[in-house]
């Protein structure tokens, strides 16, 4: 089986997440986890519901989720779930968040969904080719030069001492910037609205995996800051670009320290 065989299931997982977020958004109760990051009851409810569906319909698959850990990471297919990517924005009543659902095959992200439950915007990508926003095909801008590029960047607090210099160089080299775009910035790269998306070293696999098929399916490039491909084992700083030349130029600038 291939990723395409699981697009309907992935869509139903996103449907479930959308319903829970919309119905529960007015009943937020935020906690602080041991690592200092926030979590809400909605995070837990979304991931729990998705896991219940997968237990019934894909019981031979592995799962990696932000809230409830992992099972079966050595299996051919592993689902990766970030139930609310951008919990701080979500808890603050801001719309800059999404639900991330990914499917990895032999450790490689092959299907990804970036779901914005409130607006109903759903971006689905396949690493083998193709990306769709609410069923309509989308592609990257194909921009090749930094001088004309629009970049979606994490805020400066997301970059440690080893990465803040690259962040500043890229910020100054691009035409204009948007900050704290989160996962929705990668969806914007995929549909050609912006040209670059950059995150610092505070990401884990559940933040990353869904972004990969979306960017690659739309014709863009995505990697870590060394240019290495992103996998189920990836963590840390990442870069997405609308084209290979733009990706190369941005990587060179990030590492020109």
């Amino acid at each position: 089986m291939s990723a395409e065989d699981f697009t309907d299931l992935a869509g139903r997982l996103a449907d479930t997440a959308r319903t829970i977020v919309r119905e529960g958004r007015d009943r937020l109760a935020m906690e602080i986890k041991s690592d200092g990051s926030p979590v809400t009851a909605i995070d837990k409810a979304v991931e729990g519901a998705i896991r219940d569906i997968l237990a019934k319909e894909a019981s031979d698959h592995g799962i990696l989720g932000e809230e409830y850990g992992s099972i079966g990471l050595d299996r051919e297919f592993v689902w990766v779930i970030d139930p609310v990517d951008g919990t701080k924005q979500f808890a603050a009543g801001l719309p800059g968040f999404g639900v991330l659902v990914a499917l990895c095959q032999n450790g490689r992200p092959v299907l990804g969904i970036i779901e914005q439950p409130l607006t109903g915007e759903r971006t689905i990508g396949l690493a083998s080719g193709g990306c769709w926003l609410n069923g309509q095909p989308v592609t990257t801008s194909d921009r090749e030069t930094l001088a004309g590029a629009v970049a979606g960047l994490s805020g400066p607090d997301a970059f440690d001492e080893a990465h803040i210099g690259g962040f500043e160089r890229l910020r100054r080299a691009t035409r204009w910037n948007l900050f704290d775009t989160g996962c929705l910035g990668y969806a914007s790269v995929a549909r050609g609205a912006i040209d670059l998306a950059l995150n610092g070293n505070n990401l884990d696999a559940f933040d990353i995996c869904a972004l990969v098929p979306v960017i690659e399916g739309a014709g863009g490039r995505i990697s870590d800051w060394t240019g290495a491909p992103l996998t189920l084992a990836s963590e840390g700083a990442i870069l997405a670009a609308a084209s290979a030349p733009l990706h190369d130029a941005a990587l060179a600038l990030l590492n020109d320290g």
Side-chain angles (χ1 to χ4, degrees):
M1 301 185 79
S2 64
E4 290 87 342
D5 298 310
F6 298 105
T7 53
D8 287 345
L9 174 56
R12 282 187 281 118
L13 299 178
D15 288 341
T16 298
R18 179 184 294 184
T19 298
I20 293 171
V21 170
R22 286 182 172 181
E23 292 181 352
R25 190 168 183 242
D26 60 346
R27 300 191 300 275
L28 287 180
M30 188 173 68
E31 305 170 18
I32 302 299
K33 294 188 285 189
S34 59
D35 65 359
S37 62
V39 61
T40 70
I42 303 300
D43 292 80
K44 295 177 179 179
V46 168
E47 185 170 328
I50 288 176
R51 284 174 176 267
D52 287 344
I53 295 171
L54 292 175
K56 295 174 183 175
E57 301 194 33
S59 60
D60 57 334
H61 292 187
I63 304 175
L64 172 64
E66 181 175 13
E67 305 307 332
Y68 295 115
S70 64
I71 57 170
L73 296 187
D74 58 343
R75 297 173 188 173
E76 179 183 3
F77 290 103
V78 177
W79 293 89
V80 185
I81 307 157
D82 191 345
V84 178
D85 184 74
T87 299
K88 291 178 181 178
Q89 288 86 346
F90 176 63
L94 300 173
F97 70 92
V99 177
L100 301 180
V101 177
L103 180 63
C104 293
Q105 185 174 16
N106 297 319
R108 172 171 165 70
V110 291
L111 184 159
I113 292 181
I114 302 172
E115 163 79 20
Q116 212 306 325
L118 302 183
T119 64
E121 292 179 310
R122 179 176 301 170
T123 308
I124 302 178
L126 294 169
S128 59
C131 184
W132 299 265
L133 172 61
N134 292 345
Q136 298 300 311
V138 293
T139 61
T140 64
S141 69
D142 291 330
R143 186 175 301 279
E144 297 187 350
T145 61
L146 286 169
V150 176
L153 310 171
S154 291
D157 288 347
F159 300 87
D160 64 8
E161 185 175 350
H163 295 86
I164 192 67
F167 161 81
E168 289 290 349
R169 288 190 294 274
L170 188 65
R171 181 183 66 80
R172 291 192 297 267
T174 49
R175 180 159 59 99
W176 49 276
N177 308 133
L178 304 162
F179 294 97
D180 285 328
T181 53
C183 64
L184 301 182
Y186 292 82
S188 290
V189 172
R191 68 172 182 261
I194 67 175
D195 309 300
L196 290 161
L198 184 75
N199 273 83
N201 54 295
N202 60 340
L203 299 187
D204 291 297
F206 42 75
D207 302 300
I208 293 171
C209 286
L211 312 178
V212 177
V214 167
I215 295 296
E216 293 181 346
R221 290 285 183 90
I222 185 168
S223 72
D224 70 14
W225 281 29
T226 73
L230 299 170
T231 71
L232 182 60
S234 293
E235 59 183 15
I238 65 172
L239 165 74
S243 68
L246 184 61
H247 188 262
D248 290 344
L251 275 182
L253 197 62
L254 291 175
N255 293 290
D256 185 27

